[in-house]
Amino acid sequence: EAQVTQNPRYLITVTGKKLTVTCSQNMNHEYMSWYRQDPGLGLRQIYYSMNVEVTDKGDVPEGYKVSRKEKRNFPLILESPSPNQTSLYFCASSFGTGGNEQFFGPGTRLTVL
Amino acid sequence: GQQLNQSPQSMFIQEGEDVSMNCTSSSIFNTWLWYKQDPGEGPVLLIALYKAGELTSNGRLTAQFGITRKDSFLNISASIPSDVGIYFCAGQPGGIQGAQKLVFGQGTRLTINP
C-alpha cells in the first residue's frame, strides 16, 4: 500500500530534550516536506527536500533540522525543543516538485512541557 | 511569503444543504488543490486544478480555478454527515521558487447537524 508513515504518532517531552520524528514514504517520491499545523494558521511549511542531500528552509524553520540521506526517509530533528514547538506535525511527499499533489502522513502530535 | 485567505473559517449547516468556501490571494498561483482533513488524520486530496478557468467535479464536489489565477472556490452539494472535517485550499505560487512548494489556507471547519 502506497503510504507516508510517521513515528511516533504522539510524544510528550520536556524543554531541551532532543528528539527526532521519523518520516518514510514507499512511493519513490523525489519531494518531501514537513509542516506544522496550529489552530487558525493552517499548515505552515518547516523544511522541504527536492531529492537526496537537497534540503531547504520553508516558512518556519527556526528550531528545526532535517536530513535526506535516503530517498525514502526525511527525519525532523528538534535539537532543543521549546513549548512553542508544541504542535501537530505532518510529513508529506510528492513526485517531482512540491507543487504537485502531496501525500500526507497521519501526523505526530508533539507536546513540549 | 505568499498567503492564501480562506473563508469562511467555520460553517455550521444542516444535512442536505449545499456548502461553498473560497480562497483568495494577492499573488498569482499556477495550481490550486483542495484537501480534506478528517479528525486524527492527515489531509487527503479532493480536487486538483491546473489551468485558469478550469472547473472540475468529483462526485458532489465542484471546484474552480479563478480566471485571474488569484482565487479558487469549492462547492459541496447535498451535504452528508461524512463531509464533516477541515477543508484546506493549497496553491503552487508562480515563479521559480514557487515550483518547490505549496502554500496552504487557514482551513474551513465544517460541522453538520443531522
Side-chain angles (χ1 to χ4, degrees), chain A residues 36-106:
Chain A
R36 61 177 289 173
Q37 182 179 8
D38 302 291
L41 297 178
L43 291 159
R44 294 181 293 167
Q45 190 178 48
I46 302 170
Y47 268 94
Y48 65 92
S49 170
M50 298 288 286
N51 215 322
V52 176
E53 301 292 0
V54 180
T55 64
D56 208 347
K57 297 176 180 178
D59 297 319
V60 288
E62 292 77 21
Y64 305 95
K65 285 175 56 178
V66 292
S67 69
R68 188 90 181 273
K69 292 181 170 41
E70 306 165 283
K71 197 171 186 180
R72 64 183 293 125
N73 296 323
F74 190 46
L76 179 69
I77 304 156
L78 284 72
E79 293 271 4
S80 183
S82 61
N84 64 13
Q85 292 178 298
T86 292
S87 188
L88 180 58
Y89 291 86
F90 288 101
C91 180
S93 70
S94 68
F95 281 116
T97 72
N100 297 326
E101 173 190 357
Q102 292 187 21
F103 294 82
F104 284 82

Side-chain angles (χ1 to χ4, degrees), chain A residues 31 37 48 59 90 97 102, chain B residues 35 37 40 45 99-102:
Chain A
Y31 184 96
Q37 182 179 8
Y48 65 92
D59 297 319
F90 288 101
T97 72
Q102 292 187 21
Chain B
Y35 284 85
Q37 183 181 24
L45 184 71
Q100 301 172 5
K101 66 187 303 178
L102 285 178

